Amino acid sequence: MIRSLTNEKIKHVLKLKDKKYRQEYGEFVVEGTHLIEEAIAFGLCKFIFSLTENSPYPVETLQVSIEVMKKMSNLTTSPGMIAICSIQVSNALTDKILILDGVQDPGNLGTLIRSASAFGFRTILVQNSVDLYNPKVLRSTQGGIFKINYREIDIEKFMNEHQEIHFIGTDLASGIPFSNVHATPAKIALILGNEGSGVQTTILNKTAYNIKIEMQDMESINVGAAGSILMYAFSQMKGI
Amino acid sequence: MIRSLTNEKIKHVLKLKDKKYRQEYGEFVVEGTHLIEEAIAFGLCKFIFSLTENSPYPVETLQVSIEVMKKMSNLTTSPGMIAICSIQVSNALTDKILILDGVQDPGNLGTLIRSASAFGFRTILVQNSVDLYNPKVLRSTQGGIFKINYREIDIEKFMNEHQEIHFIGTDLASGIPFSNVHATPAKIALILGNEGSGVQTTILNKTAYNIKIEMQDMESINVGAAGSILMYAFSQMKGI
């Protein structure tokens, strides 16, 4: 059983709390059996640290002390297991894409990934947003993370290079009411913006059209809620 | 300028961090000018504490030191102003009602209140849920709190007493797909459940019908997202 924080494997996990190292090594850390089982199912679980000697999983496992587990964990109550997983980067684009321009709150990103997975928006492209592999985001995704393609992009450059995609912006100021939208092309990219300032104007100016969700006497709703409403509606909408 | 935490007004605000005292005094605390302006607009702002001597608002104001403000605040960065507001309890029922059975996460309750305000579900009835006047909830509502009737109830008792309302449960296990619902009676109550366990079976057994949101290869989505999807759809749906 490992009791020392100077163990190389443990030091490696601690480094992965930092986005820079996650990118350098192409790895991130998940906590708890639910996320670990999802990672194993997708072939992305590389190594497990466990409080118990025997693990039920077919992955190399190292037993660690409670103190070491507490140091590795980002949770108030540290879980019985932590795993190192591979970051999977794919250039594939699904028909339905979610683009995020500056989403900052980890809970909002997690909610959006979870809903995107549920409603078939399996490619998520981001610019200036909170890191997907941030522990708070991972917890909110509830395993949705393993079902998506995720990449950081330059949104305007991507729009220029993908004229075949129908880009749909969200704009509380001058979007068309969403209930006016009754059908959708197959290849769409829904663009959601920052919690305070929304989608940048230079991006809104390049879309096919921009929409707003009709509201009664409120200025806005939470971006995770708004994105979920729109993705569900598009997943149910008839084609053009 | 008040510099002492033994000042009676300051002690009162500190007490209001506790749900028991909020209920005893019928008061709660909001932070920051956005929520304070909303409270004033609804005639619910009773007293303001400010870092500056002059306040732009027509409400009795006491100047306090930065140290006192920090003690009163629940934010990492304390705001320039904090206010005591009246809890408004109304027995009125709007046509559209949101019922929450054990929602525990403050961010989820805040998101639901914000969406409920936006989509005309202006009565929110809760059982075993996180307190509305919890500072984290208040921040997530973004002012939506002042536009709703909110009460703690016994859900089954309420259902027995209001046969005129069409109760609609949410049930991932055996609800009907939501896309099968095309029209709605005027008086509805949408019931959402706990993040882990959903709506209690005894409640689901008493509804007009139970629905589920169609998902692809995910077990569930965030309850704030699910509630927002359903409330928006009902707000747009034609009547029966």
Side-chain angles (χ1 to χ4, degrees):
Chain A
M1 188 202 289
I2 305 295
R3 299 177 183 280
S4 162
L5 295 173
T6 60
N7 176 285
E8 286 303 319
K9 283 257 177 222
I10 309 294
K11 278 162 71 179
H12 183 65
V13 171
L14 296 177
K15 272 189 177 177
L16 292 176
K17 289 183 190 246
D18 189 332
K19 180 178 176 182
K20 188 180 72 179
Y21 287 105
R22 291 196 291 264
Q23 290 187 321
E24 183 179 331
Y25 291 104
E27 291 174 346
F28 65 105
V29 173
V30 300
E31 307 195 27
T33 52
H34 175 65
L35 283 175
I36 290 175
E37 285 172 15
E38 292 280 344
I40 292 170
F42 285 86
L44 297 173
C45 183
K46 293 172 80 171
F47 200 93
I48 293 176
F49 301 88
S50 172
L51 290 178
T52 55
E53 194 176 347
N54 296 308
S55 151
Y57 306 121
V59 175
E60 193 181 348
T61 300
L62 197 64
Q63 192 183 4
V64 299
S65 69
I66 291 179
E67 290 67 33
V68 167
M69 184 63 85
K70 275 188 185 163
K71 282 284 180 192
M72 290 195 291
S73 173
N74 292 289
L75 302 175
T76 323
T77 310
S78 57
M81 278 190 189
I82 276 183
I84 298 176
C85 300
S86 298
I87 290 179
Q88 193 177 30
V89 178
S90 159
N91 286 324
L93 297 175
T94 52
D95 271 359
K96 290 193 176 68
I97 297 171
L98 179 65
I99 295 181
L100 304 178
D101 176 23
V103 169
Q104 292 304 316
D105 180 83
N108 288 344
L109 179 58
T111 295
L112 285 168
I113 290 171
R114 194 172 166 192
S115 291
S117 293
F119 303 137
F121 284 68
R122 297 274 169 123
T123 302
I124 301 182
L125 307 174
V126 306
Q127 175 178 301
N128 298 328
S129 294
V130 58
D131 186 39
L132 173 66
Y133 302 100
N134 171 310
K136 282 188 195 163
V137 177
L138 289 177
R139 279 200 297 286
S140 319
T141 65
Q142 293 280 326
I145 184 193
F146 298 112
K147 299 174 181 166
I148 57 161
N149 301 327
Y150 172 91
R151 263 191 300 150
E152 295 189 17
I153 59 161
D154 177 312
I155 297 178
E156 289 188 62
K157 187 159 168 277
F158 183 86
M159 292 173 88
N160 289 336
E161 290 167 358
H162 292 277
Q163 307 278 338
E164 79 282 9
I165 297 172
H166 196 80
F167 291 91
I168 303 166
T170 45
D171 180 7
L172 287 167
S174 54
I176 58 170
F178 184 53
S179 59
N180 292 357
V181 179
H182 299 289
T184 179
K187 284 183 190 296
I188 60 168
L190 174 67
I191 310 173
L192 302 173
N194 174 266
E195 285 84 351
S197 54
V199 180
Q200 296 173 75
T201 310
T202 49
I203 293 172
L204 290 177
N205 287 342
K206 295 171 74 84
T207 59
Y209 63 89
N210 299 315
I211 50 179
K212 69 173 170 198
I213 294 172
E214 302 88 327
M215 286 178 276
Q216 301 166 21
D217 189 27
M218 281 289 284
E219 283 166 25
S220 66
I221 59 171
N222 171 277
V223 65
S228 299
I229 289 170
L230 297 173
M231 288 190 284
Y232 173 69
F234 278 117
S235 78
Q236 296 292 318
M237 206 177 277
K238 66 173 189 285
I240 288 182
Chain B
M1 189 202 286
I2 305 295
R3 298 176 184 282
S4 162
L5 293 173
T6 60
N7 175 285
E8 285 303 320
K9 284 258 178 223
I10 309 295
K11 278 161 71 179
H12 183 65
V13 171
L14 296 177
K15 272 189 176 176
L16 293 176
K17 289 184 189 245
D18 190 332
K19 180 179 176 182
K20 189 179 72 178
Y21 287 105
R22 291 196 291 264
Q23 291 186 321
E24 184 178 331
Y25 292 104
E27 292 173 348
F28 66 104
V29 173
V30 300
E31 308 195 27
T33 52
H34 176 67
L35 282 175
I36 290 175
E37 284 172 16
E38 291 279 344
I40 292 170
F42 285 86
L44 296 173
C45 184
K46 293 171 80 170
F47 199 93
I48 293 176
F49 301 87
S50 172
L51 290 177
T52 55
E53 195 177 346
N54 297 306
S55 151
Y57 305 122
V59 175
E60 193 181 349
T61 301
L62 196 64
Q63 194 184 3
V64 299
S65 68
I66 291 179
E67 289 67 33
V68 168
M69 185 63 87
K70 274 188 185 161
K71 282 285 180 190
M72 290 196 290
S73 174
N74 291 289
L75 303 174
T76 322
T77 310
S78 56
M81 277 190 192
I82 275 185
I84 299 176
C85 300
S86 297
I87 290 179
Q88 193 178 30
V89 178
S90 160
N91 284 324
L93 297 174
T94 51
D95 271 0
K96 290 193 176 69
I97 295 171
L98 179 64
I99 294 180
L100 305 178
D101 177 23
V103 169
Q104 292 303 317
D105 180 81
N108 288 344
L109 179 57
T111 294
L112 286 168
I113 289 172
R114 194 172 166 191
S115 292
S117 293
F119 303 137
F121 284 69
R122 296 274 169 124
T123 301
I124 301 182
L125 307 174
V126 306
Q127 175 178 300
N128 297 328
S129 293
V130 59
D131 186 39
L132 173 66
Y133 302 100
N134 172 309
K136 282 188 196 163
V137 177
L138 289 178
R139 280 200 296 286
S140 321
T141 66
Q142 293 280 327
I145 183 193
F146 298 112
K147 299 174 182 165
I148 58 160
N149 301 327
Y150 172 90
R151 264 191 299 150
E152 295 189 15
I153 59 160
D154 178 311
I155 297 177
E156 289 187 63
K157 189 159 167 274
F158 182 86
M159 293 174 87
N160 289 335
E161 290 167 357
H162 291 277
Q163 307 279 336
E164 79 282 9
I165 298 172
H166 197 80
F167 291 92
I168 302 165
T170 46
D171 180 6
L172 287 167
S174 54
I176 58 169
F178 184 53
S179 59
N180 292 357
V181 179
H182 299 289
T184 178
K187 285 183 189 298
I188 60 168
L190 175 66
I191 309 173
L192 303 174
N194 174 266
E195 285 85 351
S197 55
V199 179
Q200 295 173 74
T201 310
T202 49
I203 293 172
L204 291 176
N205 288 341
K206 294 171 75 81
T207 58
Y209 62 90
N210 299 316
I211 50 180
K212 69 173 169 197
I213 295 172
E214 303 88 327
M215 285 178 278
Q216 300 166 22
D217 190 26
M218 282 288 284
E219 284 167 23
S220 66
I221 58 170
N222 171 278
V223 66
S228 300
I229 288 169
L230 297 173
M231 289 190 283
Y232 173 70
F234 278 117
S235 78
Q236 297 292 319
M237 205 178 276
K238 66 174 189 285
I240 288 182

